[in-house]
Amino acid sequence: MFRTALRNVLAHKARLLMTVLAVMLGVAFVSGTLVFTSTLSDALQASSRKGFDNVDVAIQRGGNRADAAPGARSALDAKLLDRAAHLPGAASATGTISGFTAIADKSGATIGNGFSTSGSNYFPGHDGTDARYPMRSGTAPKGPHEFALDARTADRGGYKVGDTVRISVDGPVREQKLTGVFTTDDGAVGAGGSLALFDTATAQQLFAAPGQFDEIDIKAAPGTSQTALKDAVEKVLPHGAEATTGRELADQQAKMIAEGMTGMKTGLLAFAGISLFVGVFIIANTFTMLVAQRTKELALMRAVGASRRQVTRSVLTEAFVVGAVAAVVGLAAGIGIGAGLRALMGATGATVPDGPLVVSPSTVVIALVVGIVVTVLAAWLPGRRAAKIPPVAAMNSVHATATTKSLVVRNTIGALFAGAGTAAVLVATGMSDGKATMGGGAALLLIGVFVLTPLLSRPLIALASPVLRLFGISGVLARQNAVRNPRRTAATASALMIGLTLITGLTVIAGSVQQGIDKMATSALKADYVVSMASRSPLSPDVAKTLATADGVTASSPLRNSPSRIGGDVEYLTGVNGKDFGKLTQLDFTAGSLGTLHGDRAVVDDSLAKEKGWHAGSRVPVTFEDGKQGTLTIGGVYQGNQVIRGLLLDNGTLAPHQKHATDMQVMVKTAHGATPEAKESLVKALGKNPAITIADKKDVSNAIAQTFTLLLNMVYGLLAMAVIVAVLGVINTLAMSVFERSQEIGMLRAIGLDRRGIKRMVRLESLVISLFGGVLGIGLGAFFGWAAGELIGGSLPTYELVMPWGRMAVFLAVAALVGVLAALWPARRAAKLNMLQAIKAE
């Protein structure tokens, strides 16, 4: 039986190729995801570890934690640095300060982006050099107008020692003299970032406060362990500071990187699972076809003594061989995909550290197991059906057809699943937290529709009859062929349905969320522009002062955050320009009003007010950032949103409690509204700073909706694979249909239907099946999109359902294109059949 199974695999290579391709694509996606995420995670961890090579123990500010009380931030100053350097077992101690630093190239654009664009301090040791940053050329920076730059960034910007470079740390443009170019093993630089170094006093002025450090790194003397050094350090720690070994820091960083990769890996594997799920239909159809071709052969085996179990086992052996081949090829393709994704990230400007391609043993095992298990499971049902056909009936080509009882049972189960799923989804739309209920209901409904698809195929395909009749006898035959085997047609259409359900649902959600955010930005903001750092790091208060006096500006307000302690919890206060804030925003108040914010008066968003039990007139005791206590009076409660939310008060009240005031953004209103001329005026006022963004309402809306847009684009790209797999499924179904109807096709040719008519018949059949799957998928997707929107509307009051009719029409056109493309080879094969041989075929 084993030899027979192998012979059958070799005898049907062309037909099995479709199955191999379907499984291979899914396995390639799985293995590619694992290779890519493992490679990226390993490179990031290796890059991160380099940063701790010279750190045996680090002293950090415990007060930087989100749960730390205001006023509890510990001071890491020169005295502590000196004490740490003279501890027993300490070889040296280095004080570090760091922060965002944008470097402009000679055209004015920023070199690097985001948090990988940083600045720090050059900390010379006893020999006058900093071992972390050996100079390739020039000297270390000295004084407030000098700096050094890493070699990679200097080369990218075309800078050399002696050049004047435009930089930005917290807003205003600074012109610094480049005194040195250094090399470094810093992981962020290796990943495409930039690093600027200042002397310690300048770095403290820019990033912290005079005499203060962000961290003190201690190097152990030879023979002293990190644990022993940590014990010594803990004896001199000030209140609120904490000591951590370099090994612990590296492990924490590695854990954070691994956790960060988990979300990406889960998302990519979910799409790989969709492709494999779609591939199950193709595998089942393929083996159903092969079993149909070998009905008499299997019956003869049964007649000469083979048991049902042996027949089933022979089919599963074929599936095992096919799955193994597909898994090996898919693994090889997946390794290529992993390498390609990494190269693509680098080409698009993303920060990708150097490192080897990682193909772990677990990736190999998972790829092989997935490919083989999916194929064998999908082939089990056709194999079981083959074994159940009585030998005598099979020898007489009497194929077992579905009984009325089995169809009634199937339709009943499908109706129950679909009904329960629909009910669960509808109930979830009225719940405050109905995500789990809606997810379960959606899964039940999808399964129910899949089970009911054979029943639905007849009436839905019948709707196409008037159009098909326009194509004459070919169209009539195409409709009859499409409903001849409802189960096979349903399995083929379901593969396309699943992909289009996801695409349509997410398109509805993304479009509706974008509309809601646009409406929210328009209604909540009266400001023409919002000014912020491109890195989302804090702005210098000088930016707000510059904008307030810029030509054409009629009102402006910085937004400034400061931690406080209220009722035992840490809450962030938002400082604004109380005099102009009402001119820049339009908030809907449920109680009280905005009025003029000054003194101890504040307003709060409705969710925080509900959580704390506050109302207009409430007196709220607060501990400010500097540890001093005060009382705020709630003057109004407004509806919070993604643009404005939290506890708002006047900057005149907040500023005295801040040691180092910074703004998150500045809202600006101009005399003539948001015009190109007004924006250009603001750009010039800020010195054409590449690190600062000036966003209008549409830009603000797009920034908030960026996550949804990115997700949607990923979905379109990733689900393209599911569509490709669906194409293979339609090809398989049509090939099977042509095989089973060889005699019929030969007879049609004999009575006058020409080759063109045969081709048209097969193509129309493919088109009808694909459109059937497309209609089901788009319908389900629109329903799921509406239902999910009802949940989203609870947290986004301006949410508005938007049905993307244009895109849905495009999706239906894609389904039709799938049908046309998939029919090319089967139609050509059917037209080439020799009519006499086909008529004699059994």
Side-chain angles (χ1 to χ4, degrees):
M1 294 298 291
F2 180 73
R3 288 196 301 270
T4 300
L6 292 180
R7 178 179 60 80
N8 286 324
V9 170
L10 297 175
H12 301 97
K13 295 187 290 293
R15 201 65 59 77
L16 288 170
L17 180 62
M18 300 297 175
T19 298
V20 171
L21 287 173
V23 178
M24 182 207 74
L25 287 173
V27 172
F29 210 158
V30 171
S31 55
T33 296
L34 296 176
V35 169
F36 171 64
T37 53
S38 297
T39 298
L40 191 58
S41 178
D42 187 74
L44 288 171
Q45 290 180 20
S47 176
S48 172
R49 282 193 295 269
K50 288 181 181 179
F52 301 108
D53 287 346
N54 295 314
V55 180
D56 289 309
V57 175
I59 302 177
Q60 299 171 318
R61 288 177 173 172
N64 282 340
R65 299 191 308 268
D67 60 347
R73 287 165 60 94
S74 54
L76 306 186
D77 53 20
K79 291 182 180 180
L80 179 61
L81 176 67
D82 185 63
R83 294 179 68 183
H86 291 88
L87 285 172
S92 62
T94 302
T96 63
I97 319 101
S98 60
F100 171 76
T101 302
I103 309 296
D105 62 19
K106 293 183 178 180
S107 65
T110 303
I111 304 175
N113 55 70
F115 298 102
S116 62
T117 305
S118 61
S120 188
N121 64 311
Y122 187 88
F123 194 91
H126 297 298
D127 59 355
T129 64
D130 190 332
R132 300 171 299 172
Y133 310 115
M135 289 292 165
R136 188 181 73 177
S137 60
T139 60
K142 297 177 181 178
H145 303 295
E146 296 182 355
F147 85 116
L149 191 58
D150 72 89
R152 291 191 181 191
T153 304
D155 292 341
R156 281 188 290 169
Y159 291 123
K160 60 182 183 298
V161 173
D163 287 345
T164 298
V165 183
R166 297 172 74 246
I167 71 170
S168 178
V169 172
D170 56 1
V173 174
R174 301 170 59 94
E175 293 190 347
Q176 303 279 131
K177 182 180 179 181
L178 182 62
T179 62
V181 176
F182 60 89
T183 58
T184 178
D185 290 331
D186 187 279
V189 174
S194 64
L195 178 62
L197 297 179
F198 307 88
D199 65 64
T200 297
T202 302
Q204 288 174 331
Q205 187 69 38
L206 293 174
F207 305 128
Q212 297 294 308
F213 298 101
D214 292 334
E215 186 175 305
I216 294 176
D217 299 328
I218 308 170
K219 183 70 176 174
T224 302
S225 68
Q226 290 188 356
T227 304
L229 182 59
K230 179 183 177 182
D231 292 338
V233 169
E234 287 179 337
K235 296 177 182 179
V236 300
L237 286 180
H239 175 71
E242 55 188 14
T244 311
T245 65
R247 189 177 301 108
E248 290 172 340
L249 289 173
D251 291 343
Q252 290 172 9
Q253 192 72 15
K255 184 179 179 181
M256 289 174 61
I257 291 170
E259 289 175 351
M261 289 289 103
T262 300
M264 179 189 295
K265 183 188 296 185
T266 302
L268 292 174
L269 288 177
F271 289 107
I274 292 169
S275 295
L276 285 169
F277 183 63
V278 172
V280 166
F281 300 116
I282 299 176
I283 299 166
N285 271 354
T286 300
F287 279 92
T288 298
M289 174 180 61
L290 294 178
V291 167
Q293 288 178 326
R294 293 160 44 208
T295 301
K296 288 189 175 182
E297 176 187 332
L298 294 175
L300 183 59
M301 288 182 180
R302 292 287 311 282
V304 298
S307 65
R308 288 186 176 183
R309 182 175 297 178
Q310 286 178 311
V311 170
T312 303
R313 196 179 298 156
S314 71
V315 176
L316 295 182
T317 301
E318 294 177 42
F320 178 87
V321 173
V322 171
V325 172
V328 171
V329 177
L331 175 62
I335 294 172
I337 289 173
L341 285 174
R342 176 177 169 176
L344 181 63
M345 283 190 68
T348 55
T351 54
V352 184
D354 296 329
L357 196 67
V358 178
V359 184
S360 64
S362 61
T363 298
V364 176
V365 172
I366 290 172
L368 294 176
V369 169
V370 166
I372 293 171
V373 169
V374 167
T375 309
V376 170
L377 287 179
W380 174 76
L381 189 58
R384 186 169 175 270
R385 285 177 181 167
K388 291 177 71 174
I389 300 176
V392 175
M395 286 182 181
N396 287 282
S397 298
V398 179
H399 303 292
T401 57
T403 63
T404 302
K405 179 181 178 181
S406 68
L407 292 175
V408 170
V409 171
R410 177 184 179 121
N411 293 337
T412 302
I413 293 174
L416 291 174
F417 271 75
T422 303
V425 170
L426 293 175
V427 168
T429 59
M431 299 171 62
S432 58
D433 186 16
K435 294 178 182 177
T437 304
M438 182 168 290
L444 285 175
L445 177 55
L446 198 60
I447 293 171
V449 171
F450 167 66
V451 174
L452 287 173
T453 306
L455 179 66
L456 297 173
S457 64
R458 290 185 179 275
L460 288 179
I461 291 177
L463 295 175
S465 295
V467 178
L468 292 175
R469 288 196 190 99
L470 299 177
F471 295 93
I473 188 63
S474 296
V476 174
L477 291 172
R479 187 193 70 79
Q480 292 175 351
N481 293 333
V483 298
R484 176 177 296 185
N485 193 327
R487 289 189 175 184
R488 190 183 304 153
T489 297
T492 306
S494 296
L496 192 58
M497 177 191 76
I498 293 169
L500 288 179
T501 296
L502 291 172
I503 291 175
T504 305
L506 288 173
T507 301
V508 171
I509 294 170
S512 301
V513 167
Q514 179 68 64
Q515 180 80 2
I517 292 174
D518 286 344
K519 188 175 179 181
M520 177 185 65
T522 303
S523 61
L525 283 179
K526 289 194 287 187
D528 296 314
Y529 294 103
V530 175
V531 179
S532 62
M533 293 291 286
S535 63
R536 302 303 175 197
S537 56
L539 278 167
S540 166
D542 292 339
V543 173
K545 294 177 183 177
T546 300
L547 291 170
T549 58
D551 291 340
V553 174
T554 58
S556 67
S557 173
L559 269 68
R560 181 177 301 172
N561 287 340
S562 176
S564 69
R565 176 78 69 177
I566 299 177
D569 298 323
V570 174
E571 298 291 345
Y572 275 83
L573 306 176
T574 300
V576 300
N577 181 353
K579 183 181 68 172
D580 285 351
F581 193 66
K583 303 175 185 177
L584 300 164
T585 59
Q586 186 170 321
L587 303 178
D588 293 329
F589 277 79
T590 58
S593 63
L594 179 63
T596 301
L597 294 177
H598 62 86
D600 66 350
R601 194 174 187 277
V603 294
V604 64
D605 71 80
D606 50 357
S607 61
L608 184 58
K610 182 178 180 181
E611 177 187 340
K612 298 293 184 180
W614 297 338
H615 53 81
S618 294
R619 301 275 291 172
V620 180
V622 57
T623 302
F624 291 99
E625 181 180 347
D626 59 354
K628 294 182 179 179
Q629 297 182 347
T631 302
L632 297 177
T633 301
I634 303 299
V637 179
Y638 66 92
Q639 292 183 356
N641 52 62
Q642 296 293 325
V643 179
I644 304 292
R645 57 185 172 182
L647 189 60
L648 311 177
L649 70 161
D650 184 51
N651 275 325
T653 304
L654 185 63
H657 301 287
Q658 294 183 289
K659 294 180 180 179
H660 186 63
T662 57
D663 301 324
M664 293 310 298
Q665 60 187 33
V666 181
M667 295 187 294
V668 178
K669 189 171 183 61
T670 60
H672 302 291
T675 63
E677 293 77 16
K679 186 171 184 178
E680 183 62 25
S681 176
L682 296 180
V683 169
K684 288 180 179 179
L686 294 173
K688 296 185 177 180
N689 193 324
I692 291 180
T693 60
I694 301 174
D696 58 19
K697 294 178 183 178
K698 185 64 178 176
D699 296 329
V700 172
S701 173
N702 290 340
I704 298 173
Q706 187 175 10
T707 302
F708 295 95
T709 304
L710 180 62
L711 175 63
L712 189 62
N713 290 336
M714 283 183 60
V715 168
Y716 285 161
L718 296 175
L719 288 181
M721 181 176 291
V723 174
I724 293 173
V725 174
V727 170
L728 298 177
V730 178
I731 293 174
N732 249 12
T733 297
L734 294 175
M736 183 190 327
S737 180
V738 169
F739 162 73
E740 291 182 346
R741 302 200 316 264
S742 294
Q743 284 185 333
E744 178 184 321
I745 292 172
M747 187 64 69
L748 290 172
R749 289 289 315 283
I751 61 177
L753 190 61
D754 58 11
R755 289 185 174 181
R756 183 177 298 177
I758 295 292
K759 285 183 179 180
R760 186 182 299 120
M761 176 186 71
V762 176
R763 288 171 183 164
L764 290 173
E765 179 184 351
S766 174
L767 185 63
V768 167
I769 293 174
S770 297
L771 286 175
F772 169 56
V775 168
L776 284 181
I778 293 171
L780 280 174
F783 175 70
F784 290 145
W786 164 81
E790 293 296 303
L791 282 183
I792 295 172
S795 56
L796 183 62
T798 54
Y799 181 88
E800 183 178 328
L801 180 65
V802 176
M803 281 296 177
W805 301 111
R807 291 197 181 188
M808 289 163 68
V810 170
F811 298 155
L812 195 61
V814 168
L817 182 62
V818 166
V820 172
L821 294 177
L824 292 178
W825 177 69
R828 187 166 177 269
R829 184 169 179 267
K832 281 189 170 185
L833 285 176
N834 183 290
M835 67 179 74
L836 295 179
Q837 291 179 353
I839 291 173
K840 292 190 297 180
E842 295 183 358

